[in-house]
Amino acid sequence: MNKIVLITGATSGIGLACARKFAENGDKLILTGRNEQFLTDLRQELTAKGTEVQILVFDVRDREKAKQCLDELPAEWQDIDVLVNNAGLALGLEPEYEGSFDDWDTMIDTNIKGLLTITRLIVPKMVERNSGHIINIGSVAGDAAYAGGNVYCATKAAVKALSDGLRIDVAPTAVRVTNLKPGLVETNFSNTRFHGDNDRAATVYKGIKPLTGDDIADVAVYAANAPAHVQIAEVLILATHQASGSVIVRK
């Protein structure tokens, strides 16, 4: 049966890949992001292939706007089957004692509080229906800190703890919770981290074949379509020559 899938941060990277993969799977999509034009273009691309799409323009840091947009969904779109909490980012690689307060606030407000907001707004209806699936996009960075990662690693460790805690909370129900933990994925992630420095961002992927957004989206779709009695609780996805967040063999 086709599902209604809501994906945050659907305008680029893993979120965009998830949108296209779930569309290929025949699901109906609710796509959120801050860039209205990109969302409009993506809806046009996917609807041309037969996918039903709703777009919601908001920043997950804006709790009131998020609530307003979700409340205004048509009644037939209210029963969301799969929530992909993808919106997130890393900013900077400075030592913790030299970090930017603004970068810290943006990462914490997006990666942790934004995820919590969307979870709080959507999951109660899943619990009420005794059906649903939350897929959080965590990171290998949540397993152990790496040099310069400090606050970003802390936010992804929080995603793991929040995923585990939510899984405990919904255990009496049929709602499932998955934490996907990608390693090195070639998206605009590093460009964002380095505040638009394309040359510096390109060095992150030198000497290794990194993962793509499609690789992570494949796992998300698999988890969402596992048999009802199977909960894919956590998946660590690394490039072949990456052993951990800090061990990468470049050739």
Side-chain angles (χ1 to χ4, degrees):
M1 186 177 75
N2 294 349
K3 299 179 176 70
I4 297 176
V5 181
L6 187 148
I7 303 166
T8 66
T11 56
S12 63
I14 293 171
L16 175 59
C18 283
R20 289 171 172 154
K21 289 288 183 179
F22 277 103
E24 290 173 9
N25 194 56
D27 296 314
K28 297 167 64 174
L29 302 180
I30 304 169
L31 306 177
T32 88
R34 295 175 295 171
N35 188 321
E36 182 172 10
Q37 186 58 57
F38 197 102
L39 285 173
T40 300
D41 292 345
L42 181 56
R43 176 174 60 186
Q44 184 175 356
E45 170 196 328
L46 297 177
T47 53
K49 298 176 182 178
T51 302
E52 294 183 60
V53 179
Q54 293 278 335
I55 60 172
L56 303 178
V57 183
F58 64 84
D59 188 322
V60 295
R61 295 176 293 174
D62 188 339
R63 189 171 294 158
E64 292 306 313
K65 182 66 172 177
K67 185 177 187 307
Q68 176 190 339
C69 288
L70 289 168
D71 286 345
E72 291 175 354
L73 279 170
E76 63 271 23
W77 287 83
Q78 290 283 339
D79 290 343
I80 294 163
D81 298 295
V82 179
L83 165 61
V84 181
N85 272 319
N86 165 73
L89 75 169
L91 293 170
L93 267 177
E94 298 83 7
E96 191 170 319
Y97 57 86
E98 295 178 351
S100 160
F101 290 117
D102 289 341
D103 285 354
W104 292 353
D105 286 344
T106 300
M107 286 187 283
I108 291 168
D109 290 347
T110 304
N111 300 0
I112 302 176
K113 294 168 70 176
L115 179 146
L116 278 170
T117 291
I118 305 303
T119 299
R120 179 66 180 84
L121 292 174
I122 291 174
V123 175
K125 289 183 180 178
M126 292 182 175
V127 171
E128 184 180 332
R129 296 194 318 269
N130 195 37
S131 174
H133 195 158
I134 304 93
I135 300 175
N136 292 331
I137 305 299
S139 173
V140 63
D143 288 346
Y146 55 76
N150 46 74
V151 174
Y152 173 70
C153 294
T155 66
K156 289 304 184 177
V159 171
K160 172 174 171 53
L162 292 171
S163 301
D164 292 347
L166 181 60
R167 196 177 304 110
I168 292 167
D169 292 336
V170 300
T173 76
V175 177
R176 302 184 292 185
V177 180
T178 298
N179 180 24
L180 297 186
K181 304 188 300 184
L184 202 61
V185 183
E186 188 167 12
T187 64
N188 64 343
F189 176 89
S190 291
N191 182 277
T192 300
R193 164 167 258 168
F194 299 130
H195 299 281
D197 186 336
N198 293 325
D199 292 338
R200 189 178 179 193
T203 65
V204 174
Y205 310 108
K206 274 190 174 178
I208 185 171
K209 184 177 172 113
L211 302 168
T212 68
D214 285 344
D215 296 325
I216 312 308
D218 283 339
V219 182
V221 172
Y222 171 79
N225 289 279
H229 71 289
V230 177
Q231 180 171 212
I232 309 298
E234 187 171 285
V235 183
L236 176 63
I237 311 133
L238 301 175
T240 298
H241 296 292
Q242 178 176 18
S244 70
S246 57
V247 178
I248 298 170
V249 178
R250 303 178 188 274
K251 304 197 178 193

